[in-house]
Amino acid sequence: MSLNAVVMESAHVHEEDMARFIIDATKEVFSTMMVMEVEDCYPMVEPVNTFHCSITGMVGLAGSYTGILSIHCPALLAIKITSNMLGMEVEEVGEDVNDALGEIANMLGGHVKQVLSKGGLDLNLSIPTVISGETYTVSSLANHDCVVIPFQYDGERFLVGLTIRKESNF
Amino acid sequence: MSNILIVDDSSTMRKIISRSLRQAGLAVDNIYEAADGIEGLNALGTSPVDLILSDINMPNMDGLEFVKQARAQGCKAPIMMITTEGGEDIIGEAINNGATGSIRKPFTPDQLQEKLGGLI
């Protein structure tokens, strides 16, 4: 479960640097927007692609690179995150929780974009997509080009992943 | 007191910006919301606004096009881009289209106060 060397060489960063960047960005987003201090548990020991009672927020990157930045979060933690984000009690998974997870993915995608594209015009972010369910599996056709970072908050774990490929025509 | 238009496709982010404006102690009277550039332009046609806060990455009409069309319609209010997009070129394009400046997500109420205090 690692990032392709071509991607990292093109972006002038090492995989561990990219992982550290995602860790710092995630901690900043959670601390600033939710007043939640999360702990990273990098590196990931065992790959995970099946989730139970969870919500996944994703944003796509397209242009000089193609890929997906995703956050996978247990439903109860997602409710807690959304409550902190909005400053009000949220009781169940619904529009607010979905929107919050999408917005977190969007903010993290913006951070990654800044590493991969200093100018910003050669790489586009998609509108976020959110999926949720009792049991679902997330599969990538390029599993070897990804880095996944586990985080912990209050005894619950969530994952932030980046799957990416360099496009040769840029 | 000021009327502020928030243009962002995320309802969560619109709520956060509204709350942060009040936490920052800014002189806010009415806050209008729009979910994309098209709704933003429609809002400008019906409500007088003193400040516009707009996302860039939105469906239907993005923030870059919204700024361009708002200026073309004669909107004189300052327009601050609140966005995850921190690249120099994309912010430069927003400024060229008529934006006043930018605020990077995530942000704190203090950062909003610092950036917006002189505008309203």
Side-chain angles (χ1 to χ4, degrees):
Chain A
M1 187 169 295
S2 62
L3 286 172
N4 189 313
V6 174
V7 172
M8 294 297 92
E9 186 180 333
S10 175
H12 305 294
V13 293
H14 298 291
E15 181 185 329
E16 287 205 356
D17 294 335
M18 178 59 87
R20 178 51 54 190
F21 186 82
I22 293 171
I23 289 167
D24 291 345
T26 304
K27 288 183 174 180
E28 183 193 354
V29 167
F30 273 76
S31 176
T32 306
M33 304 304 284
M34 284 81 92
V35 199
M36 295 169 75
E37 306 304 324
V38 300
E39 298 290 329
D40 73 274
C41 311
Y42 182 77
M44 184 90 167
V45 179
E46 288 183 17
V48 175
N49 63 357
T50 299
F51 301 92
H52 304 281
C53 294
S54 296
I55 299 173
T56 293
M58 299 182 290
V59 66
L61 298 110
S64 51
Y65 295 84
T66 53
I68 292 177
L69 184 292
S70 54
I71 175 169
H72 311 280
C73 191
L76 286 177
L77 182 56
I79 289 170
K80 170 72 175 164
I81 289 169
T82 307
S83 297
N84 280 33
M85 209 169 175
L86 293 176
M88 57 183 257
E89 205 61 38
V90 175
E91 294 180 348
E92 59 185 13
V93 173
E95 187 182 340
D96 283 340
V97 175
N98 289 343
D99 197 72
L101 266 287
E103 189 54 37
I104 293 168
N106 188 41
M107 283 188 272
L108 295 176
H111 277 266
V112 168
K113 176 177 172 175
Q114 189 127 22
V115 174
L116 300 176
S117 168
K118 295 302 180 191
L121 291 176
D122 63 327
L123 187 57
N124 294 313
L125 288 180
S126 75
I127 303 301
T129 296
V130 178
I131 58 174
S132 62
E134 289 192 14
T135 301
Y136 58 93
T137 301
V138 177
S139 301
S140 168
L141 298 180
N143 262 335
H144 56 288
D145 290 350
C146 71
V147 60
V148 180
I149 298 155
F151 290 87
Q152 268 207 323
Y153 179 81
D154 206 15
E156 288 219 68
R157 189 172 88 148
F158 68 94
L159 305 177
V160 176
L162 174 67
T163 301
I164 200 152
R165 185 178 71 190
K166 173 74 177 146
E167 292 302 316
S168 56
N169 53 342
F170 274 84
Chain B
M1 299 294 272
S2 301
N3 296 323
I4 298 177
L5 171 63
I6 301 170
V7 187
D8 197 310
D9 57 318
S10 164
S11 62
T12 299
M13 191 50 63
R14 296 197 302 270
K15 289 173 189 168
I16 290 171
I17 294 170
S18 296
R19 190 186 68 199
S20 298
L21 287 168
R22 299 188 193 284
Q23 287 176 338
L26 293 163
V28 178
D29 190 2
N30 295 306
I31 294 178
Y32 306 108
E33 296 186 13
D36 58 35
I38 294 171
E39 284 191 18
L41 291 175
N42 289 337
L44 287 178
T46 57
S47 310
V49 301
D50 304 297
L51 172 67
I52 300 166
L53 305 174
S54 177
D55 189 14
I56 290 180
N57 190 22
M58 296 182 288
N60 304 320
M61 180 188 290
D62 68 19
L64 298 175
E65 185 63 25
F66 165 69
V67 173
K68 189 192 290 186
Q69 293 206 23
R71 293 304 185 214
Q73 289 182 10
C75 172
K76 299 281 196 292
I79 305 177
M80 293 293 282
M81 313 310 292
I82 297 192
T83 179
T84 61
E85 305 271 3
E88 291 172 10
D89 293 347
I90 202 160
I91 296 301
E93 186 171 337
I95 300 289
N96 285 339
N97 287 0
T100 309
S102 66
I103 297 170
R104 183 105 193 274
K105 297 177 191 172
F107 54 80
T108 64
D110 286 347
Q111 287 166 336
L112 283 190
Q113 162 66 27
E114 186 181 327
K115 290 272 191 176
L116 304 178
L119 297 177
I120 55 176

